[in-house]
């Protein structure tokens, strides 16, 4: 079969022949119709992600949409190494698939699941969002951040706040408050925390997280009965590390939480994907993407325009 193959860590995959998967007990061969090129896919293929393997010679891709051995259209997660989702066929554990609702195209289902699963899990499992609460999204102008605003609203948030570096992209988002991370942002951030923020979803980390945490905790120690702030760390596009003062935690209701592979069980991730896709048709989630044939994987891999690419095998 044809597939994208990572021969060397840190180098874009090549489009080439690869042996076909053969299912054993408890496994299914899925004919792939659409798969997403997401930051985690690139991270795993670089060898630097905390969940990366130790050797190259594999097909990248952690999820996709396709047809299972029973002829059902499914979304699948975490295919078995080395048969990732960027191929004509993938090898999947039978319990790692959920149905794709009618009304969602293959590409749109793949885009929504890939962009929206992180925030869906973070809000429902980690932060446990309550109806009427306020959610701030740091890194709102990316694909996952844009979906986070939508999922927060769908799950009952009464107010959503979009924070990001690109003022032009922020203006196109649907949010109650939009804060561009320019030199004047600190006052605007503090004003929002003074008004009340219950959950922060952080796709950026690094210097932007430092500014948001400072705004959230500064001068809070003198207040009594301060509501707890659940700060959920989801990505590190702006840096891997930050400095956190001890009194930020002692003197406020701040709770630092991670959400991702390892902090949430695989079973919960799959259940969340089922819930997200089931909600998508009625919620009209919008996850912009550009569709490309799998033959263009190397070009898409090195293109850094903030575009979510959905790759489709050519048959």
């Amino acid at each position: 079969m044809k597939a994208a193959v990572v021969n060397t860590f840190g180098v874009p995959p090549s489009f080439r022949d690869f042996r076909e998967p053969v299912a054993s007990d408890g496994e299914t061969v899925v004919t792939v119709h659409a798969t997403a090129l997401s930051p985690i896919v690139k991270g795993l293929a670089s060898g630097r992600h905390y969940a990366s393997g130790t050797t190259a010679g594999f097909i990248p891709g952690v999820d996709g949409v396709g047809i299972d051995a029973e002829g059902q259209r499914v979304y699948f997660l975490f295919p078995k190494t080395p048969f990732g989702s960027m191929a004509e066929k993938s090898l999947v554990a039978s319990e790692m698939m959920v149905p794709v609702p009618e009304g969602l195209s293959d590409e749109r289902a793949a885009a929504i699941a890939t962009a929206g699963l992180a925030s869906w899990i973070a809000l429902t499992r980690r932060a446990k969002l309550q109806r009427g609460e306020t959610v701030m999204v740091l890194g709102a102008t990316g694909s996952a951040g844009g979906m986070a605003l939508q999922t927060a609203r769908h799950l009952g948030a009464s107010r959503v706040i979009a924070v990001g570096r690109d003022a032009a992209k922020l203006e196109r988002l649907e949010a109650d408050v939009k804060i561009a991370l320019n030199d004047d942002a600190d006052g605007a951030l503090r004003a929002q925390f003074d008004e009340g923020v219950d959950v922060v979803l952080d796709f950026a980390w690094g210097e932007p997280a430092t500014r948001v945490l400072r705004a959230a905790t500064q001068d809070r120690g003198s207040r009594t009965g301060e509501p707890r702030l659940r700060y959920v760390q989801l990505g590190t596009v702006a840096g891997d590390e930050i400095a956190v003062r001890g009194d930020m935690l002692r003197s406020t209701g701040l709770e630092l939480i991670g959400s991702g592979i390892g902090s949430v069980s695989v079973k919960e991730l799959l259940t969340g994907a089922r819930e997200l896709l089931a909600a998508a048709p009625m919620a009209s989630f919008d996850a912009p993407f550009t569709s490309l044939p799998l033959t263009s994987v190397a070009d898409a891999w090195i293109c850094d325009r903030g575009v979510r690419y959905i790759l489709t095998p050519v048959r």
Side-chain angles (χ1 to χ4, degrees), residues 211-266:
R211 294 181 70 178
V212 171
L213 284 167
R214 184 168 58 238
T217 59
Q218 193 170 0
D219 298 331
R220 294 297 196 272
S222 61
R223 305 184 181 191
T224 59
E226 187 79 14
R228 69 187 182 110
L229 169 65
R230 290 99 78 199
Y231 193 105
V232 189
Q233 208 288 308
L234 289 158
T236 55
V237 295
D240 293 327
E241 299 180 358
I242 67 168
V244 178
R245 291 173 53 95
D247 56 9
M248 285 184 175
L249 301 174
R250 295 195 308 272
S251 63
T252 70
L254 175 65
E255 298 179 7
L256 288 177
I257 309 166
S259 185
I261 301 171
S263 60
V264 180
S265 71
V266 172

Side-chain angles (χ1 to χ4, degrees), residues 71-103:
Q72 303 299 310
R73 198 162 65 111
V74 296
Y75 168 77
F76 62 93
L77 190 61
F78 302 144
K80 297 205 162 186
T81 303
F83 300 103
S85 56
M86 291 189 174
E88 292 179 325
K89 297 179 181 179
S90 189
L91 184 62
V92 184
S94 299
E95 70 271 13
M96 293 303 296
M97 302 180 296
V98 298
V100 175
E102 294 296 327

Side-chain angles (χ1 to χ4, degrees), residues 111-171:
I112 288 172
T114 303
L117 184 55
S119 57
W120 188 277
I121 290 293
L123 291 170
T124 59
R125 270 72 177 177
R126 302 297 283 161
K128 296 185 169 132
L129 179 70
Q130 301 298 307
R131 186 167 294 277
E133 290 188 317
T134 294
V135 176
M136 175 181 288
V137 178
L138 176 57
T141 56
S143 297
M147 272 297 299
L149 297 170
Q150 298 174 63
T151 56
R153 187 79 80 187
H154 175 77
L155 291 168
S158 60
R159 194 163 63 101
V160 293
I161 304 164
V163 182
R165 292 189 184 279
D166 192 322
K169 287 185 178 180
L170 279 172
E171 283 305 310

Side-chain angles (χ1 to χ4, degrees), residues 138 162-168 170-171 178-190 207-208 211-212 214-215:
L138 176 57
V163 182
R165 292 189 184 279
D166 192 322
L170 279 172
E171 283 305 310
K178 303 167 187 179
I179 302 175
L181 281 176
N182 52 35
D183 293 340
D184 301 322
D186 294 338
L189 289 168
R190 289 196 65 185
E207 187 269 345
R211 294 181 70 178
V212 171
R214 184 168 58 238

